[in-house]
């Protein structure tokens, strides 16, 4: 999937929502130490810099070099390219070694991972006791009673072009394997529902749609899901292109610690 996300890397920085600072506070409150955090699939680093407000050092990693080129600089965040070819031992060493990480975060990405492999690394890296892993996603957007049905029709046109793993997101992570002990912020089969509020213009919303992997996949196959007619219909339902609306992304979180 890295190649797809390389193609829309320049759209991610301002098109994707910013996760509420309260999320990082409630995660930090559940770790015994705040020395080292690892943000996996960091993309442009938006979660990494949020985590950095609570931890001494954050390492943000991604398989996509193009995404990392757009990463937001922060004095406490170190970005590393971790290609799919990297071995578990190399990855462990580059992050900090076994039993070294206080918090591991994965924002809108864990559904793309080789989960057994990733969870094995997580189990080895997390500090025991006291370290936690948190994963989250968002899968829907509410704008207005006028806009939402139009958006639903557009979303339906994208279904053929998503990677099968996106079903975890469509399910709100209810079906995502998550073999960790609950810390009160969602557990396997019972994710915590959260909202991400954001103010967004129609142009910003359109950039977000263009960054969807399904839209990129369709375009690579010669199908323009965001044709002029579709954009016009969406814009009409929104109101006008420069109208800034208060919207909400519907999000879901799972967090846990290693079972001892």
């Amino acid at each position: 999937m890295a190649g797809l996300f390389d193609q829309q890397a320049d759209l991610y920085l301002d098109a994707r929502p910013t996760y509420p600072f309260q999320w990082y506070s409630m995660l930090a409150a559940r770790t015994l130490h705040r020395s080292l955090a690892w943000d996996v699939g960091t993309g442009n680093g938006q979660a990494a810099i949020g985590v950095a407000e609570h931890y001494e050092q954050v390492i943000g990693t991604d398989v996509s070099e193009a995404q990392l080129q757009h990463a937001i600089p922060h004095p406490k965040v170190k970005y590393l390219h971790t290609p799919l070819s990297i071995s578990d031992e190399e990855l462990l060493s580059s992050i900090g070694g076994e039993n070294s990480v206080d918090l591991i975060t994965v924002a809108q990405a864990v559904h793309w991972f080789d989960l057994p492999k990733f969870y094995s690394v997580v189990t080895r890296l997390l500090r025991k006791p006291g370290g936690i892993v948190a994963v989250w996603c968002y899968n829907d957007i509410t704008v207005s009673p006028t806009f939402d049905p139009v958006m639903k029709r557009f979303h339906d046109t994208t279904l053929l072009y998503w990677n099968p793993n996106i079903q975890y997101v469509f399910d709100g992570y209810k079906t995502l394997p998550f073999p960790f002990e609950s810390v009160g912020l969602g557990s396997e089969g019972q994710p915590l529902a959260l909202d991400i509020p954001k103010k967004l213009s129609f142009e910003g919303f359109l950039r977000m749609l263009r960054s969807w992997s399904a839209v990129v996949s369709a375009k690579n196959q010669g199908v323009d899901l965001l044709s002029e007619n579709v954009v016009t219909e969406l814009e009409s339902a929104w109101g006008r292109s420069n109208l800034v609306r208060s919207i909400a992304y519907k999000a879901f979180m799972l967090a846990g610690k290693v079972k001892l």
Side-chain angles (χ1 to χ4, degrees), residues 51-77:
V51 172
E53 296 303 310
H54 299 278
Y55 292 82
E56 294 175 16
Q57 182 185 10
V58 180
I59 297 176
T61 64
D62 206 292
V63 299
S64 169
E65 285 187 282
Q67 287 282 346
L68 291 173
Q69 288 172 6
H70 291 83
I72 307 163
H74 190 286
K76 288 164 57 174
V77 179

Side-chain angles (χ1 to χ4, degrees), residues 99 104 118-126 128 179-180 258:
N99 205 46
I104 296 174
F118 174 62
Y119 289 153
S120 174
V121 171
V122 167
T123 298
R124 294 175 66 184
L125 273 175
L126 276 181
K128 294 169 279 291
F180 300 96
V258 175

Side-chain angles (χ1 to χ4, degrees), residues 159-226:
L159 296 178
L160 287 175
Y161 303 98
W162 290 103
N163 180 286
N165 282 28
I166 202 68
Q167 190 61 46
Y168 287 133
V169 176
F170 291 166
D171 292 342
Y173 278 5
K174 288 179 182 177
T175 57
L176 182 81
F178 193 72
F180 300 96
E181 184 178 335
S182 175
V183 293
L185 294 174
S187 59
E188 187 174 68
Q190 296 181 308
L192 176 66
L194 298 162
D195 279 354
I196 307 173
K198 186 175 177 67
K199 291 187 180 298
L200 200 62
S201 69
F202 179 73
E203 288 303 318
F205 182 80
L206 198 56
R207 285 195 295 273
M208 188 271 293
L209 295 185
R210 286 175 174 149
S211 76
W212 281 10
S213 58
V215 172
V216 176
S217 293
K219 193 170 186 179
N220 289 342
Q221 297 175 47
V223 178
D224 185 6
L225 295 177
L226 286 169

